[in-house]
Amino acid sequence: MKKTIKTDEIYEVVKQAYAETRNLKGGKNADYIPFLDKIDPNLFGIAVCLPSGEIIEAGDTDYVFGIESISKVHTAILILQQYGAEKVMQQIGADATGLPFNSILAILMENDHPSTPLVNAGAISADSMVKPLGNPEEKWKAIVENMTDLCGSELKLLDELYQSESETNYNNRAIAWLLKSYNRIYDDPQMSLDLYTRHCSMGVTTKQLAIAGCTIANRGKNPITGKQVFEESLMPNIVSLIASVGFYEHTGDWIYTSGIPAKTGVGGGVMGTLPGVFGIAAFAPPLDEAGNSVKAQAAIKYIAREIGVNVFSGDSIEIIK
Ligand code: GLU
């Protein structure tokens, strides 16, 4: 079906979503990374970014929080750009694990395969692939530049989060070395783990995430800067990765109930992307047991349902003034 949605309607729905979900109880801040446990649990922001560059927002959309696993999407895009879809498939894979984000069992069960760049194992493997190999400074530069390009403005490293996570990431250390033993780390394992920990510790705002979501939805063209960040033809690969594992072991439930491909992070952020239509993001620190923000999920579902968009609907959507 052809559907036309007025921008004013989106403004109205975002306002309503904020009012309806801001007092939701439930969930708790991630506490396995001590820094995250200290963030004010009442912070809450929602933002929608349209391909025209218009941003519709409510709440704490300029608050800077830890991007965490959402940055796995950014790194996946970088290696897709550097190597192409086929090579990423061979070296990492694109399978949902159905298991928690940091699962070691998933690596063993997949017979040495890191599964997808959107779980910890695949993301560490992806960081090892970032070019130029063997050069941590230049690799980091490429990662930061790519994040900036996707988000439309600079992100700053949250030093305290980086320290906190580096001191406590024992599970991720085990993953890096296990992958090394399977020849699934393509550069130095310690360096790859450090790059991963660092980009998870980047500070981002809800608004920047909505812009990044829209850059993906807009076939790689950032709606704010106009820069073509990745090749158009990669959009379906990127969206399929997000849709199949963005919520870890709850991905099926999420996509079935929301219709919005989205990626979560334990910092409380969720970044969604609806191809050709918009980018959407929400942030609130308290998480459910799978590590997904309770309020951010509710807000995004509310908006998708009320404006009637769903990636599986077959509708062609036009947003008008
Ligand atoms: N940096 C976090 C970790 O590796 C990311 C987890 C997440 O956001 O899901 O544990």
Side-chain angles (χ1 to χ4, degrees):
M1 211 166 59
K2 250 187 149 45
K3 258 194 188 168
T4 313
I5 301 169
K6 282 211 164 117
T7 313
D8 281 352
E9 190 187 333
I10 305 179
Y11 273 93
E12 195 46 44
V13 170
V14 168
K15 214 163 72 189
Q16 282 167 12
Y18 183 76
E20 288 287 324
T21 54
R22 66 181 300 188
N23 295 320
L24 266 188
K25 298 275 172 274
K28 66 184 203 35
N29 287 28
D31 56 8
Y32 77 102
I33 299 170
F35 175 88
L36 297 177
D37 200 19
K38 296 189 302 195
I39 308 295
D40 178 358
N42 298 312
L43 286 160
F44 183 35
I46 309 173
V48 172
C49 177
L50 305 179
S52 63
E54 191 159 347
I55 295 174
I56 302 161
E57 51 192 313
D60 305 308
T61 49
D62 288 320
Y63 180 83
V64 177
F65 58 94
I67 187 168
E68 293 296 348
S69 275
I70 302 168
S71 62
K72 290 169 180 160
V73 175
H74 299 66
T75 312
I77 292 173
L78 179 59
I79 58 160
L80 280 165
Q81 262 297 101
Q82 289 187 338
Y83 290 85
E86 213 176 297
K87 186 86 174 164
V88 170
M89 181 72 189
Q90 285 163 9
Q91 303 219 146
I92 299 179
D95 248 346
T97 60
L99 289 165
F101 59 92
N102 56 2
S103 178
I104 286 180
L105 188 63
I107 308 169
L108 302 173
M109 277 174 32
E110 288 270 340
N111 254 339
D112 90 4
H113 214 263
S115 303
T116 159
L118 300 197
V119 297
N120 290 19
I124 296 167
S125 189
D127 281 304
S128 77
M129 284 174 70
V130 170
K131 291 177 187 171
L133 298 187
N135 187 334
E137 287 79 27
E138 287 300 311
K139 280 170 82 113
W140 178 240
K141 210 169 133 210
I143 291 169
V144 171
E145 260 175 35
N146 175 61
M147 290 176 101
T148 307
D149 286 348
L150 284 163
C151 293
S153 53
E154 251 178 57
L155 281 72
K156 277 222 166 63
L157 184 72
L158 298 175
D159 283 310
E160 208 189 320
L161 175 56
Y162 174 51
Q163 288 303 332
S164 185
E165 193 156 338
S166 300
E167 281 160 14
T168 52
N169 63 351
Y170 309 113
N171 191 90
N172 289 341
R173 291 180 213 177
I175 289 176
W177 288 103
L178 183 59
L179 288 174
K180 172 71 183 167
S181 79
Y182 285 136
N183 293 322
R184 289 290 181 178
I185 285 280
Y186 308 99
D187 205 341
D188 181 73
Q190 187 54 44
M191 179 226 287
S192 309
L193 174 63
D194 181 57
L195 290 169
Y196 167 79
T197 312
R198 256 195 278 172
H199 66 65
C200 284
S201 305
M202 286 297 249
V204 75
T205 66
T206 311
K207 209 189 288 184
Q208 285 176 312
L209 285 183
I211 295 168
C214 190
T215 303
I216 298 169
N218 203 24
R219 298 174 181 80
K221 186 171 178 186
N222 186 305
I224 305 296
T225 62
K227 182 166 179 178
Q228 189 70 37
V229 182
F230 59 80
E231 258 172 65
E232 282 192 30
S233 62
L234 290 173
M235 184 183 76
N237 298 112
I238 296 163
V239 178
S240 75
L241 287 174
I242 297 173
S244 58
V245 77
F247 273 68
Y248 306 120
E249 68 270 39
H250 286 182
T251 305
D253 288 351
W254 165 260
I255 196 81
Y256 183 87
T257 54
S258 71
I260 303 288
K263 180 74 199 83
T264 65
V266 292
V270 176
M271 175 184 78
T273 182
L274 192 60
V277 184
F278 61 44
I280 184 166
F283 156 68
L287 311 176
D288 66 17
E289 72 291 355
N292 304 320
S293 168
V294 172
K295 276 193 213 174
Q297 292 182 70
I300 293 174
K301 274 188 196 174
Y302 184 99
I303 293 168
R305 188 182 63 238
E306 290 302 311
I307 60 178
V309 291
N310 186 317
V311 72
F312 301 117
S313 67
D315 292 338
S316 94
I317 310 277
E318 195 193 357
I319 298 180
I320 55 164
K321 266 276 160 219

